[in-house]
DNA sequence: ATAAACCATGTACTTAGGTACAGAGTCAAG
DNA sequence: CTTGACTCTGTACCTAAGTACATGGTTTAT
């Protein structure tokens, strides 16, 4: 188990070092253990390997339009003592519904683009915007 | 055909008036015709009905994580003179690939959440973060 | 044991995407 | 033909999500 300093984590996850510290301040990644220095100051952060995955997850979710606040909610969804199972289920199901909506909109967009590419062969210039189909119902 | 002033468009599309003017400045919606006033100043903007759809499209795409720049590209994808068919096809296909990636990631997230909800019944408290599965390959 | 390469903290700056006025002009209903 | 609701331009301000230092402490390779 190699020692993961903040710089290594940043490189592996493909983000800026400052971003990691920022996420820590925002509570998106847990404060990692720090080796204490001689006279009491906190030493370097040392991360568990899992942190890299966590940051990549954040990156993906961000690209999909989730805010950091929403991402924090997703990351905190887990079964542990002090949280009732029903609560977890309810929150998970709400997120699932949200995700389903997003998938549907993306599929409509895709369909519009596929049609566009198809039409391109078939007939000549059209001037209205074909993408707008994507949001009819 | 009722006359669509900026305020009506804003209400129908569910956005702020200033947002519409902002989108106009950013080139996301075309400058609408303006009735000229007596002594030369520009009058109110009058929008075609289609504008409402266009703004709703922008809203949806934004929620899915597309930047306004990307949205402008999507909206400008159309078959018209001066643009070769091959070019349109190529750009459309790139967008389709992008959308497919997003759909896949969302489906992985969904799967992780569905599993979480399922496990919740089956066994007791777990402490690792089950959502992280979502990004294993 | 010392320089080169990292890291820590705190504060300031940046960019995207809006929002909020102020002050003045426009429209339409009575 | 006036009054109240609406719109215009321009500029300033705001939030989220970082990014960039400056200054100083920590590691590690030589």
């Amino acid at each position: 188990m190699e020692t993961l300093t903040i710089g290594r984590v940043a490189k592996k996850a493909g983000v800026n070092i400052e971003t990691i510290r920022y996420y820590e301040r925002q509570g998106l990644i847990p404060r990692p253990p720090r080796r204490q220095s001689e006279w009491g100051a906190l030493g370097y952060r040392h991360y568990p390997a899992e942190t890299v995955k966590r940051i990549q997850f954040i990156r993906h979710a961000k690209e999909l339009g989730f805010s950091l606040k929403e991402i924090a909610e997703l990351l905190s969804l887990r079964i542990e003592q002090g949280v009732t199972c029903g609560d977890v289920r309810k929150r998970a199901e709400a997120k699932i519904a949200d995700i389903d909506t997003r998938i549907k909109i993306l599929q409509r967009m895709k369909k519009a683009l596929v049609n566009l590419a198809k039409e391109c062969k078939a007939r000549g210039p059209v001037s209205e915007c074909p993408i707008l189909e994507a949001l009819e119902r």
Side-chain angles (χ1 to χ4, degrees), chain A residues 114-125:
Chain A
V114 168
N115 281 342
L116 175 64
K118 229 184 297 173
E119 305 251 312
C120 207
K121 280 208 128 82
R123 49 191 175 94

Side-chain angles (χ1 to χ4, degrees), chain A residues 21-75:
Chain A
R21 287 197 277 251
Y22 176 71
Y23 287 167
E24 182 180 320
R25 288 200 298 284
Q26 303 305 305
L28 285 160
I29 53 185
R31 268 162 261 94
R34 315 274 287 262
R35 202 181 296 145
Q36 197 106 346
S37 81
E38 301 256 354
W39 42 293
L42 291 171
Y44 291 5
R45 291 167 176 84
H46 285 280
Y47 293 92
E50 197 221 46
T51 303
V52 175
K53 284 202 219 165
R54 201 174 171 99
I55 292 170
Q56 283 168 341
F57 175 85
I58 296 171
R59 229 163 37 75
H60 284 310
K62 234 174 19 81
E63 281 160 17
L64 292 168
F66 291 94
S67 69
L68 294 189
K69 191 154 164 287
E70 289 169 321
I71 295 171
E73 283 167 22
L74 283 169
L75 285 169

Side-chain angles (χ1 to χ4, degrees), chain A residues 87-105:
Chain A
D87 178 48
V88 172
R89 283 263 309 258
K90 227 175 52 187
R91 288 193 294 149
E93 268 149 29
K95 299 296 179 191
I96 290 170
D98 174 18
I99 289 176
D100 275 337
T101 302
R102 287 166 195 251
I103 290 176
K104 266 187 205 108
I105 298 176

